[in-house]
Structure formats: C-alpha cells, structure tokens
Amino acid sequence: MLRIGKAVFGAGVVHGAVYIGHEHDPVATTERFLLDPQVQAVEGGWDLPAEAAEDLRRRFLWSGCDVVYTVGGFMRRQQIDPSASTAEARRDAREKLMRLAETANGYGAAMLLLCTGPDTAPERRADAIGHFGETVEALCEQARRLRPERPMWITVEHFDRELDQKRLLGPTAETVALLADIRKRHDNVGMTLDLSHLVQLGEDIEVAVAAAGDLAIHAHIASCGLDRAVPETFGDSHCRFGAEGGAVSLDDVVRFLRALVRHGYGERRVATCLPIISVEMKTPQGETPELALASGLRILERAALVADIAERTAA
C-alpha cells in the first residue's frame, strides 16, 4: 500500500497491457500478481471458457484483490463504437458492451473501464458524445440490476484526440462535462485519470486533476512518447519509464500523485477497497512482462515516497 500525506492508496497492475504480444496462460499470469501482497488490484479483459473463467473468479475472491474489467481492447479489436453514425451500429455496440458488463460482473469486478470510439468530424462531435453518454447510462443501470447490493461502477478513460489514439474523448474538460451530467442520475459513474494521456493531450497535470474533481475514481501512471523520431515509444506506447523517447518522468508522477491527493482522491468514496493507482505498461519483444511491471511498481513506490515527504513538509 502507498501512503501520501493522510491518504492511503492501493497499487494496481494492468495485466491486459503488459502481456500484449507475448504468449502466456492468462490464468497463471494473473495469479502471479494475485500472489503479490503489494498488488491491491488487477485490471484486464479476460476472455475465457466458462470453466477457466470460474477458476479465475475463485482466485480473485480468495486473493482479496479488486478486479477492474477493461473493455478498451475489445472495443478496438471488434470496432465497437457507441457513437457510430447509424442507429443500428450504435445498438450493436451497446449490446456487445452490455454482454461484456455481464462478463465483468461474473468475475466480481468492482469497476468496468471503457473508452470512446474514434473521433469524428467536428460537426458530428456533440451528437457523438451524446450517443456515448446514452450507452454509459445504460451500463450504469445494468450494473445496478446485475448486482444491486454492490453494483459495479462504470469508469471512462479519455485519450488523445490528435496525436495517436485520436479518440472522441478527448480533452479532460469535455469528459468531465459529460460525466458530471450523468452523475446527476447515476452515482456509480466516474473517470479514470491516466497520467500519460494527460501528457499526450498537452494538458497541465494539476489543472486536469482539479477539473476532474470528485469524478476521479481511478488512476493510472504510465509513460508515452511525443517524439515521432523515436517510433518505439511514440504515442500511447505505455513504454517503460526511462525508455528512450519517453515523455513522463519521475517528477511528473510525483506531481500527478500530489495533485490527486490535493483534490480529494484518497478521501472520496470509490468502488474499490482502496483508491487504486495502477501501473500500465506494455512490454517490447526481448523484455520480460513481470520485470516491466516490477520496474513500474518501483517508480510508483518512489514517487509516492517523494510525494508523501512533500505533502508532510507542506503541511
């Protein structure tokens, strides 16, 4: 666990990212993190046969780890776009996402993490965001039906609009505006703040975290690249901290953590047992996924120690 000032956080890992492009047994590799008491949450998009899924569900339960079910990968691979231009495509996207929410609920997930589809023409953008919001509301309602006593929370992760992913959401202020409106009707909704996405958006870290306010219910630390001359790390690469071309430093992580603390993350109610700060990294060929995540967890721990000292000194 991580302590920063008076707040206590849990460290998480994004299993779904670190093993991309690597052959692995998803149950065995997930269990490696469930066995680590330093890890309080595991995030992934497991797509398993019924027997293996039940096996993994039991392991999650026994471990005491929170589960965050991520559907961004499914959305990209299957071209699931809740903001598509036709009603039929939007209806199909919503049905697929609701089936994924059922899967997430089966694993006992605390949160379902999704993103928007690709950006659209500027004149269509407002309508497209509205359509996405309708799907988020439908997922919030479904989560309460599936598990009334402890419903999943729906969390939206926003990306860059112009650099690499080029997704509909988008600037933090626009994401906040949409989710703040949905929050008026559904209390099980919020947003995931990913440090590397703020960097790719060109936003000030402190300003973005302040704008998110109490909608921030989940956080990622990750790196990215802004230099097209270094293609290995350019864009939403989730490269290793310290990799050539990486644009996120230890100081950036410290600023992000301090901003989260100052703006109430660590004090507000969240779906997980502890407010989670997860490490999201991808592993290039020739490197080892477990070592990549270990390096990220060490960066998180160092940054939390520095942030804690700074917060206590400031107090």
Side-chain angles (χ1 to χ4, degrees), residues 96-217:
K96 288 178 177 176
L97 286 171
M98 293 183 80
R99 286 197 294 272
L100 286 168
E102 291 177 1
T103 300
N105 185 69
Y107 287 115
M111 289 190 286
L112 177 79
L113 171 60
L114 76 157
C115 59
T116 62
D119 193 19
T120 187
E123 63 271 17
R124 264 207 75 235
R125 200 172 277 151
D127 284 344
I129 291 172
H131 292 315
F132 176 73
E134 291 166 2
T135 292
V136 172
E137 295 207 47
L139 289 168
C140 289
E141 292 167 0
Q142 183 198 27
R144 287 198 298 273
R145 289 194 302 270
L146 288 169
R147 199 167 65 211
E149 73 286 358
R150 189 176 60 86
M152 279 189 302
W153 288 25
I154 309 303
T155 182
V156 175
E157 186 173 16
H158 62 317
F159 287 73
D160 71 274
R161 186 180 276 166
E162 299 176 349
L163 184 77
D164 181 17
Q165 291 279 338
K166 300 180 181 178
R167 304 218 151 255
L168 180 63
L169 289 174
T172 298
E174 292 184 24
T175 308
V176 167
L178 173 69
L179 296 178
D181 180 63
I182 295 173
R183 176 70 72 83
K184 295 173 185 176
R185 295 174 293 281
H186 305 280
D187 62 1
N188 59 328
V189 71
M191 63 189 298
T192 294
L193 290 177
D194 185 304
L195 172 58
S196 70
H197 297 169
L198 302 182
V199 172
Q200 290 171 73
L201 283 161
E203 296 186 346
D204 180 274
I205 294 169
E206 172 78 27
V207 171
V209 174
D214 65 2
L215 287 167
I217 60 171

Side-chain angles (χ1 to χ4, degrees), residues 60-132:
F60 283 136
L61 179 65
W62 299 336
S63 73
C65 242
D66 275 311
V67 182
V68 178
Y69 197 79
T70 62
V71 300
F74 294 109
M75 294 178 75
R76 295 182 188 93
R77 291 191 297 273
Q78 300 178 26
Q79 297 182 319
I80 299 172
D81 183 4
S83 303
S85 58
T86 69
E88 182 181 4
R90 292 195 297 272
R91 185 167 52 251
D92 179 67
R94 184 177 301 185
E95 290 172 357
K96 288 178 177 176
L97 286 171
M98 293 183 80
R99 286 197 294 272
L100 286 168
E102 291 177 1
T103 300
N105 185 69
Y107 287 115
M111 289 190 286
L112 177 79
L113 171 60
L114 76 157
C115 59
T116 62
D119 193 19
T120 187
E123 63 271 17
R124 264 207 75 235
R125 200 172 277 151
D127 284 344
I129 291 172
H131 292 315
F132 176 73

